[in-house]
Amino acid sequence: MKTSSITRLLLWVSIFAFSLSSCRKEDEIIPSTEEQGGKPEPAGPIKGFFLLNEANMGSNKSTLDYYDYETGKYTRNIYAERNPNVVKELGDVGNDLQIYGNRLYAVINVSHLIEVMDVNTAKHIGKISIPNCRYIVFKDGFAYVSSYAGPVKIDPNARLGYVAKVDTATLKVVAECPVGYQPDELVIHGDKLYVANSGGYRVPNYDKTISIIDLKTFTELKKVDVAINLHRLELDNYGKIWVSSRGDYYHVPSKMFVFDPKTEKVTKTLDVSCSNMTLSGDSLFVYSTEWSYLTGENTISYTVIDTKTQKVIDRDFIKDGTAKDIKIPYGIATNRERGEFYVTDAKNYVTPGRLHCYDLKTGTRKWSVKTGDIPAHFAFTRYELQPLKPQTPQQ
């Protein structure tokens, strides 16, 4: 074992032992830091957004940031100081972030939990334990969470995954529905839930199916073949589901597919690589960071698809040359109310990333700020985040 590895191990053991013997003390809490982003202006219905930083697996450094539209202030690492009694803070690898009602849900993959917070204060409400949880969607008082089910490791014999049904009133798992191997993103359309099965742990024997679940009975109705190593799903305004395949990183490239829930068939294939996508009206913004093990390099692209015509209308939605400043695009979101889109940069995956804000019409950058490590998941809020109240000194 390398010396640095031994040092890290000893440090982890000492921290763990201390956490067992006492509560985390005030001086151990890393305070938030603030930076000016955009210009202060009236917020409108959307008050701001939260940004979940994944952080590198094994580092236990997932953090939560917040941007306030009215002040233009970007605040990094708000969770720790607002939750001084939560040991290990958010946990290991933040994989999804969503708001439902007045609660904020952070899916923490490697820590096998969903952290539930008050959206007004970002304070801890509870935790939901789900092994290797991935993504979350909501309907009629229930959360639906994709789970790889098994440990976090490549395993050709990895078990089937499942979707957990969670009562949002009690934060209890009330049912589980088996799906395909290593399920990732989910979307709800009508009374059905659609799940992208990746099979990513079973490389090279990837899954290639979408599972269709009847929400009334919470049973899988069928699986439909699409392509290997599925990942992202996005429901457009015409009832079609856009599906991304990662490919195999060697000979099978990443592609996108249009899935029709009515016919339960793929109706179109597009030669567009996709790492992530977000919908703004009829425009689907897609970026790709496609790694090739054959070349040892990334190919990066920024594409816009018209979901009505199902055609590519733009092959470079960053127009001012600042794409060169983004080393590893990792997260994307749009806010039509403000006419902005956002792209995050994971840089080298182990140091703070950056968030870039662009004008939605012109594709020119408006501002940029430093984030936590591997900034990834956005959640826009219509609630004003309450300022942190001064802590009462302990006697």
Side-chain angles (χ1 to χ4, degrees), residues 75-215:
T75 308
R76 291 178 289 271
N77 192 26
I78 67 170
Y79 183 87
E81 63 187 8
R82 288 170 179 261
N83 298 278
N85 296 318
V86 178
V87 178
K88 294 188 178 181
E89 299 170 10
L90 271 178
D92 200 357
V93 185
N95 210 72
D96 197 11
L97 186 70
Q98 301 291 335
I99 293 172
Y100 185 68
N102 60 356
R103 291 178 176 181
L104 179 65
Y105 295 76
V107 180
I108 312 298
N109 169 226
V110 182
S111 291
H112 312 290
L113 62 87
I114 299 166
E115 169 67 19
V116 185
M117 294 162 273
D118 185 321
V119 75
N120 295 286
T121 62
K123 289 189 176 181
H124 170 83
I125 291 175
K127 295 183 186 294
I128 306 166
S129 295
I130 297 176
N132 212 336
C133 42
R134 301 289 293 179
Y135 295 94
I136 186 169
V137 293
F138 302 87
K139 185 176 181 178
D140 297 336
F142 292 98
Y144 298 92
V145 183
S146 57
S147 168
Y148 279 14
V152 182
K153 68 175 183 178
I154 300 298
D155 180 3
N157 298 311
R159 58 168 288 184
L160 285 170
Y162 66 84
V163 174
K165 182 178 181 179
V166 180
D167 185 331
T168 58
T170 63
L171 302 183
K172 301 294 184 184
V173 176
V174 295
E176 297 175 2
C177 179
V179 287
Y181 293 103
Q182 290 80 63
D184 276 319
E185 285 201 340
L186 325 88
V187 296
I188 293 174
H189 181 51
D191 290 324
K192 292 180 180 177
L193 176 67
Y194 299 83
V195 187
N197 299 309
S198 72
Y201 283 178
R202 295 166 58 86
V203 56
N205 299 313
Y206 294 102
D207 203 325
K208 57 181 179 179
T209 63
I210 286 178
S211 287
I212 304 175
I213 295 174
D214 184 338
L215 290 179

Side-chain angles (χ1 to χ4, degrees), residues 28-86:
E28 293 177 306
I29 298 170
I30 299 175
S32 64
T33 55
E34 193 175 79
E35 183 177 351
Q36 190 67 39
K39 296 179 180 179
E41 54 186 298
I46 298 177
K47 305 304 180 185
F49 60 80
F50 296 94
L51 178 61
L52 181 64
N53 301 286
E54 287 190 1
N56 202 270
M57 188 171 71
S59 67
N60 199 60
K61 286 174 60 180
S62 183
T63 58
L64 187 67
D65 299 347
Y66 181 75
Y67 182 71
D68 187 306
Y69 281 126
E70 187 169 343
T71 65
K73 298 290 186 181
Y74 187 85
T75 308
R76 291 178 289 271
N77 192 26
I78 67 170
Y79 183 87
E81 63 187 8
R82 288 170 179 261
N83 298 278
N85 296 318
V86 178

